Amino acid sequence: DQQVKQNSPSLSVQEGRISILNCDYTNSMFDYFLWYKKYPAEGPTFLISISSIKDKNEDGRFTVFLNKSAKHLSLHIVPSQPGDSAVYFCAASEGNRDDKIIFGKGTRLHILP
Amino acid sequence: NAGVMQNPRHLVRRRGQEARLRCSPMKGHSHVYWYRQLPEEGLKFMVYLQKENIIDESGMPKERFSAEFPKEGPSILRIQQVVRGDSAAYFCASSPPWVRSQYFGPGTRLTVL
């Protein structure tokens, strides 16, 4: 059972434009959500997170939006830069489950020159 | 402040041999998590450990796999009698107490011949 779903395996965006990566989840007990970025042959790098008590969190070029009623979150990157080309993983955890993180399958983002 | 360290980065084993993967968490981090990534898949939780204790091993295969995090030294993920299906990237993550974001190491890529 896929509790965290990233339905777009890949996404191409022009440099300078906004990249929007989407994620859906099914477990209503999730209360903490994270985005990780991964380059080939490296470990995932933590990007940004959001608690379920918020609907938006912003850090520089990265903003995460959470819609609890729709069980949907999105990551916005603006403006997109060539170094943003990577695989982005959406992830979630339940506070009372010792914080093991459940990952989506990832979306490969290509930033076009 | 060194990040999460994993070694070896690459490990080749023949079927039936044992694989030992090591993880040194970041300084001050007492929580260690192991994840496995199969090709074209997201990361799957395996086990969560604190010093000398296994907190959650719900993602560990029932046989051949074990993990420990001793009082001194790195955390070890041990796979006995490896099979081809064990070939994957194994990532370790760590976090300090009360912080829900996990920081990942570069991974160990296990290839079983």
Side-chain angles (χ1 to χ4, degrees), chain B residues 3 14 23 30-31 38 44 50-51 57 61 65 69 79 97:
Chain B
R14 297 192 180 279
C23 169
S30 56
H31 298 197
L38 296 170
K44 301 280 192 209
Q50 295 178 16
K51 283 286 186 183
E57 58 181 347
F65 285 71
F69 188 17
I79 311 172

Side-chain angles (χ1 to χ4, degrees), chain B residues 65-82:
Chain B
F65 285 71
S66 62
E68 62 177 8
F69 188 17
K71 188 176 180 181
E72 301 291 337
S75 174
I76 307 285
L77 178 67
R78 182 182 177 205
I79 311 172
Q80 294 178 292
Q81 299 175 323
V82 296

Side-chain angles (χ1 to χ4, degrees), chain A:
Chain A
D1 63 332
Q2 190 92 37
Q3 296 187 70
V4 178
K5 299 177 185 178
Q6 294 178 256
N7 292 319
S8 297
S10 67
L11 175 68
S12 294
V13 174
Q14 207 76 35
E15 182 180 352
R17 296 289 188 96
I18 182 171
S19 295
I20 300 176
L21 295 95
N22 292 303
C23 177
D24 298 293
Y25 62 95
T26 58
N27 186 346
S28 57
M29 300 302 292
F30 286 145
D31 64 348
Y32 193 69
F33 303 88
L34 311 94
W35 284 93
Y36 283 86
K37 174 181 177 180
K38 187 179 181 302
Y39 293 120
E42 294 184 12
T45 302
F46 170 74
L47 263 182
I48 191 168
S49 62
I50 187 167
S51 164
S52 59
I53 62 173
K54 294 186 172 182
D55 54 20
K56 177 183 174 181
N57 189 25
E58 190 173 350
D59 184 0
R61 296 186 298 115
F62 302 93
T63 303
V64 56
F65 295 92
L66 176 62
N67 182 334
K68 287 188 290 294
S69 61
K71 293 193 177 70
H72 177 84
L73 64 155
S74 61
L75 174 68
H76 292 213
I77 307 172
V78 57
S80 300
Q81 298 175 354
D84 296 332
S85 294
V87 177
Y88 288 78
F89 290 99
C90 173
S93 69
E94 290 179 52
N96 63 351
R97 291 296 303 275
D98 299 314
D99 287 337
K100 71 181 182 187
I101 293 179
I102 308 298
F103 283 84
K105 291 191 176 185
T107 296
R108 186 176 300 276
L109 176 64
H110 300 270
I111 303 302
L112 306 171

Side-chain angles (χ1 to χ4, degrees), chain B residues 22-62:
Chain B
R22 294 174 191 77
C23 169
S24 296
M26 290 177 70
K27 189 175 180 180
H29 289 196
S30 56
H31 298 197
V32 166
Y33 304 80
W34 285 93
Y35 294 83
R36 175 165 68 174
Q37 185 182 26
L38 296 170
E40 306 304 321
E41 295 286 325
L43 283 75
K44 301 280 192 209
F45 168 81
M46 298 181 76
V47 62
Y48 163 38
L49 310 104
Q50 295 178 16
K51 283 286 186 183
E52 299 185 280
N53 285 306
I54 296 174
I55 307 301
D56 181 349
E57 58 181 347
S58 58
M60 288 278 270
K62 293 289 183 282

Side-chain angles (χ1 to χ4, degrees), chain B residues 2-34:
Chain B
V4 177
M5 299 176 69
Q6 290 187 250
N7 69 80
R9 292 294 307 276
H10 301 275
L11 183 61
V12 179
R13 285 287 178 265
R14 297 192 180 279
R15 280 179 296 169
Q17 291 184 320
E18 178 179 290
R20 282 187 176 235
L21 288 65
R22 294 174 191 77
C23 169
S24 296
M26 290 177 70
K27 189 175 180 180
H29 289 196
S30 56
H31 298 197
V32 166
Y33 304 80
W34 285 93

